[in-house]
mmCIF file of all heavy atoms in Angstrom:
data_model
loop_
_atom_site.group_PDB
_atom_site.id
_atom_site.type_symbol
_atom_site.label_atom_id
_atom_site.label_comp_id
_atom_site.label_asym_id
_atom_site.label_seq_id
_atom_site.Cartn_x
_atom_site.Cartn_y
_atom_site.Cartn_z
ATOM 1 N N LEU Q 78 -62.799 27.034 -34.598
ATOM 2 C CA LEU Q 78 -62.345 26.415 -35.814
ATOM 3 C C LEU Q 78 -63.525 25.865 -36.594
ATOM 4 O O LEU Q 78 -64.298 25.049 -36.054
ATOM 5 C CB LEU Q 78 -61.331 25.297 -35.563
ATOM 6 C CG LEU Q 78 -60.133 25.659 -34.699
ATOM 7 C CD1 LEU Q 78 -59.260 24.436 -34.456
ATOM 8 C CD2 LEU Q 78 -59.300 26.796 -35.346
ATOM 9 N N ILE Q 79 -63.731 26.345 -37.829
ATOM 10 C CA ILE Q 79 -64.920 25.949 -38.611
ATOM 11 C C ILE Q 79 -64.487 25.359 -39.932
ATOM 12 O O ILE Q 79 -63.835 26.006 -40.772
ATOM 13 C CB ILE Q 79 -65.819 27.170 -38.876
ATOM 14 C CG1 ILE Q 79 -66.169 27.884 -37.562
ATOM 15 C CG2 ILE Q 79 -67.059 26.757 -39.630
ATOM 16 C CD1 ILE Q 79 -66.885 29.205 -37.755
ATOM 17 N N ALA Q 80 -64.848 24.108 -40.134
ATOM 18 C CA ALA Q 80 -64.616 23.427 -41.406
ATOM 19 C C ALA Q 80 -65.963 23.266 -42.112
ATOM 20 O O ALA Q 80 -66.957 22.867 -41.502
ATOM 21 C CB ALA Q 80 -63.991 22.022 -41.187
ATOM 22 N N ALA Q 81 -66.011 23.632 -43.405
ATOM 23 C CA ALA Q 81 -67.268 23.572 -44.149
ATOM 24 C C ALA Q 81 -67.003 23.005 -45.540
ATOM 25 O O ALA Q 81 -65.944 23.254 -46.153
ATOM 26 C CB ALA Q 81 -67.882 24.949 -44.267
ATOM 27 N N TYR Q 82 -67.931 22.259 -46.039
ATOM 28 C CA TYR Q 82 -67.863 21.666 -47.372
ATOM 29 C C TYR Q 82 -69.150 22.026 -48.101
ATOM 30 O O TYR Q 82 -70.232 21.627 -47.701
ATOM 31 C CB TYR Q 82 -67.713 20.159 -47.288
ATOM 32 C CG TYR Q 82 -67.273 19.491 -48.582
ATOM 33 C CD1 TYR Q 82 -66.016 19.694 -49.104
ATOM 34 C CD2 TYR Q 82 -68.139 18.653 -49.265
ATOM 35 C CE1 TYR Q 82 -65.621 19.078 -50.275
ATOM 36 C CE2 TYR Q 82 -67.741 18.006 -50.451
ATOM 37 C CZ TYR Q 82 -66.470 18.215 -50.953
ATOM 38 O OH TYR Q 82 -66.078 17.614 -52.102
ATOM 39 N N GLU Q 83 -69.026 22.846 -49.148
ATOM 40 C CA GLU Q 83 -70.199 23.422 -49.835
ATOM 41 C C GLU Q 83 -70.299 22.878 -51.240
ATOM 42 O O GLU Q 83 -69.474 23.180 -52.107
ATOM 43 C CB GLU Q 83 -70.083 24.928 -49.851
ATOM 44 C CG GLU Q 83 -71.292 25.604 -50.534
ATOM 45 C CD GLU Q 83 -71.136 27.095 -50.567
ATOM 46 O OE1 GLU Q 83 -70.156 27.625 -50.056
ATOM 47 O OE2 GLU Q 83 -72.041 27.767 -51.139
ATOM 48 N N GLY Q 84 -71.298 22.042 -51.460
ATOM 49 C CA GLY Q 84 -71.560 21.526 -52.790
ATOM 50 C C GLY Q 84 -72.722 22.275 -53.411
ATOM 51 O O GLY Q 84 -73.348 23.153 -52.809
ATOM 52 N N GLU Q 85 -73.035 21.922 -54.665
ATOM 53 C CA GLU Q 85 -74.176 22.587 -55.332
ATOM 54 C C GLU Q 85 -75.484 22.246 -54.635
ATOM 55 O O GLU Q 85 -76.369 23.091 -54.563
ATOM 56 C CB GLU Q 85 -74.219 22.123 -56.800
ATOM 57 C CG GLU Q 85 -75.323 22.805 -57.611
ATOM 58 C CD GLU Q 85 -75.345 22.332 -59.048
ATOM 59 O OE1 GLU Q 85 -74.598 21.404 -59.405
ATOM 60 O OE2 GLU Q 85 -76.120 22.898 -59.821
ATOM 61 N N LYS Q 86 -75.605 21.042 -54.098
ATOM 62 C CA LYS Q 86 -76.851 20.618 -53.467
ATOM 63 C C LYS Q 86 -76.695 20.301 -51.983
ATOM 64 O O LYS Q 86 -77.612 20.497 -51.204
ATOM 65 C CB LYS Q 86 -77.406 19.383 -54.194
ATOM 66 C CG LYS Q 86 -78.013 19.639 -55.514
ATOM 67 C CD LYS Q 86 -79.344 20.384 -55.403
ATOM 68 C CE LYS Q 86 -80.046 20.529 -56.731
ATOM 69 N NZ LYS Q 86 -81.347 21.246 -56.554
ATOM 70 N N VAL Q 87 -75.530 19.758 -51.588
ATOM 71 C CA VAL Q 87 -75.369 19.323 -50.214
ATOM 72 C C VAL Q 87 -74.068 19.826 -49.629
ATOM 73 O O VAL Q 87 -73.160 20.220 -50.365
ATOM 74 C CB VAL Q 87 -75.414 17.766 -50.131
ATOM 75 C CG1 VAL Q 87 -76.769 17.243 -50.571
ATOM 76 C CG2 VAL Q 87 -74.301 17.150 -50.983
ATOM 77 N N GLY Q 88 -73.960 19.794 -48.318
ATOM 78 C CA GLY Q 88 -72.733 20.232 -47.655
ATOM 79 C C GLY Q 88 -72.822 19.965 -46.141
ATOM 80 O O GLY Q 88 -73.825 19.412 -45.653
ATOM 81 N N PHE Q 89 -71.785 20.392 -45.444
ATOM 82 C CA PHE Q 89 -71.771 20.223 -43.986
ATOM 83 C C PHE Q 89 -71.010 21.362 -43.346
ATOM 84 O O PHE Q 89 -70.201 22.067 -43.995
ATOM 85 C CB PHE Q 89 -71.175 18.886 -43.571
ATOM 86 C CG PHE Q 89 -69.644 18.819 -43.679
ATOM 87 C CD1 PHE Q 89 -68.837 19.321 -42.657
ATOM 88 C CD2 PHE Q 89 -69.028 18.231 -44.768
ATOM 89 C CE1 PHE Q 89 -67.453 19.283 -42.747
ATOM 90 C CE2 PHE Q 89 -67.665 18.198 -44.882
ATOM 91 C CZ PHE Q 89 -66.863 18.692 -43.860
ATOM 92 N N VAL Q 90 -71.204 21.541 -42.049
ATOM 93 C CA VAL Q 90 -70.449 22.486 -41.232
ATOM 94 C C VAL Q 90 -70.071 21.788 -39.940
ATOM 95 O O VAL Q 90 -70.909 21.202 -39.261
ATOM 96 C CB VAL Q 90 -71.236 23.762 -40.903
ATOM 97 C CG1 VAL Q 90 -70.533 24.609 -39.863
ATOM 98 C CG2 VAL Q 90 -71.488 24.572 -42.175
ATOM 99 N N ALA Q 91 -68.760 21.834 -39.594
ATOM 100 C CA ALA Q 91 -68.268 21.336 -38.317
ATOM 101 C C ALA Q 91 -67.600 22.533 -37.609
ATOM 102 O O ALA Q 91 -66.540 22.985 -38.045
ATOM 103 C CB ALA Q 91 -67.281 20.204 -38.533
ATOM 104 N N ASP Q 92 -68.197 22.994 -36.548
ATOM 105 C CA ASP Q 92 -67.791 24.223 -35.843
ATOM 106 C C ASP Q 92 -67.347 23.839 -34.441
ATOM 107 O O ASP Q 92 -68.171 23.430 -33.617
ATOM 108 C CB ASP Q 92 -68.970 25.186 -35.826
ATOM 109 C CG ASP Q 92 -68.689 26.491 -35.107
ATOM 110 O OD1 ASP Q 92 -67.657 26.583 -34.408
ATOM 111 O OD2 ASP Q 92 -69.517 27.411 -35.220
ATOM 112 N N LEU Q 93 -66.032 23.948 -34.166
ATOM 113 C CA LEU Q 93 -65.493 23.517 -32.877
ATOM 114 C C LEU Q 93 -65.000 24.709 -32.086
ATOM 115 O O LEU Q 93 -64.463 25.678 -32.644
ATOM 116 C CB LEU Q 93 -64.335 22.545 -33.059
ATOM 117 C CG LEU Q 93 -64.632 21.311 -33.940
ATOM 118 C CD1 LEU Q 93 -63.388 20.436 -34.047
ATOM 119 C CD2 LEU Q 93 -65.821 20.535 -33.403
ATOM 120 N N VAL Q 94 -65.165 24.667 -30.761
ATOM 121 C CA VAL Q 94 -64.726 25.770 -29.866
ATOM 122 C C VAL Q 94 -63.869 25.243 -28.727
ATOM 123 O O VAL Q 94 -64.143 24.156 -28.202
ATOM 124 C CB VAL Q 94 -65.931 26.533 -29.307
ATOM 125 C CG1 VAL Q 94 -66.626 27.338 -30.395
ATOM 126 C CG2 VAL Q 94 -66.955 25.597 -28.682
ATOM 127 N N PHE Q 95 -62.846 26.012 -28.367
ATOM 128 C CA PHE Q 95 -61.945 25.655 -27.291
ATOM 129 C C PHE Q 95 -61.711 26.872 -26.422
ATOM 130 O O PHE Q 95 -61.400 27.950 -26.948
ATOM 131 C CB PHE Q 95 -60.613 25.149 -27.835
ATOM 132 C CG PHE Q 95 -60.728 24.028 -28.840
ATOM 133 C CD1 PHE Q 95 -60.922 24.320 -30.196
ATOM 134 C CD2 PHE Q 95 -60.635 22.714 -28.442
ATOM 135 C CE1 PHE Q 95 -61.030 23.306 -31.141
ATOM 136 C CE2 PHE Q 95 -60.733 21.685 -29.363
ATOM 137 C CZ PHE Q 95 -60.950 21.982 -30.722
ATOM 138 N N GLY Q 96 -61.817 26.755 -25.114
ATOM 139 C CA GLY Q 96 -61.568 27.889 -24.236
ATOM 140 C C GLY Q 96 -62.802 28.245 -23.409
ATOM 141 O O GLY Q 96 -63.882 27.690 -23.601
#
Side-chain angles (χ1 to χ4, degrees):
L78 306 177
I79 305 172
Y82 194 68
E83 181 182 359
E85 182 180 6
K86 286 290 186 179
V87 297
F89 76 82
V90 170
D92 179 347
L93 307 180
V94 289
F95 307 86

